[in-house]
Amino acid sequence: KMYYAVLKDMVLYLYKDEHSMKKSAGGMDNVNNVVRIHHSLATKANDYKKKRHVIRLQTADWAQYLFQTR
C-alpha cells in the first residue's frame, strides 16, 4: 500500500492519498494511521532487495516499518 507520510513533532501521520492529507489539516483523524517515533531509529534498509530506496523505521516498542522514498 502507498501512503502519504507527514512528520509533525514526534508523530508520523499516514494518509491514504493527498486529498485526505489536505482534508485533515494536521488533525488526527484515525489513530490507527499514526506512528509515534519518540526513541525510534531510522536506517537505510540495505538488506531489503525487492525495491530501491527503502528506509527501515524501528520504534521503541520494536515495531518495524519499511518506507520507500524517491
Side-chain angles (χ1 to χ4, degrees):
K1 263 186 174 179
M2 183 180 290
Y3 289 94
Y4 280 80
V6 177
L7 180 62
K8 292 184 181 178
D9 296 324
M10 292 295 211
V11 178
L12 186 65
Y13 296 91
L14 303 173
Y15 300 99
K16 288 184 181 179
D17 54 26
E18 192 173 1
H19 176 70
S20 62
M21 178 181 67
K22 290 179 181 177
K23 186 178 90 174
S24 173
M28 195 165 46
D29 292 338
N30 188 350
V31 294
N32 294 325
N33 295 340
V34 171
V35 179
R36 298 184 198 313
I37 62 163
H38 190 64
H39 294 295
S40 294
L41 177 65
T43 58
K44 184 176 179 184
N46 289 324
D47 58 337
Y48 189 79
K49 303 293 182 192
K50 292 181 183 178
K51 297 186 179 200
R52 297 177 64 195
H53 310 294
V54 175
I55 297 170
R56 174 176 287 116
L57 177 68
Q58 183 168 349
T59 61
D61 62 354
W62 294 97
Q64 286 191 20
Y65 299 90
L66 296 175
F67 295 98
Q68 184 181 16
T69 63
R70 290 186 182 168

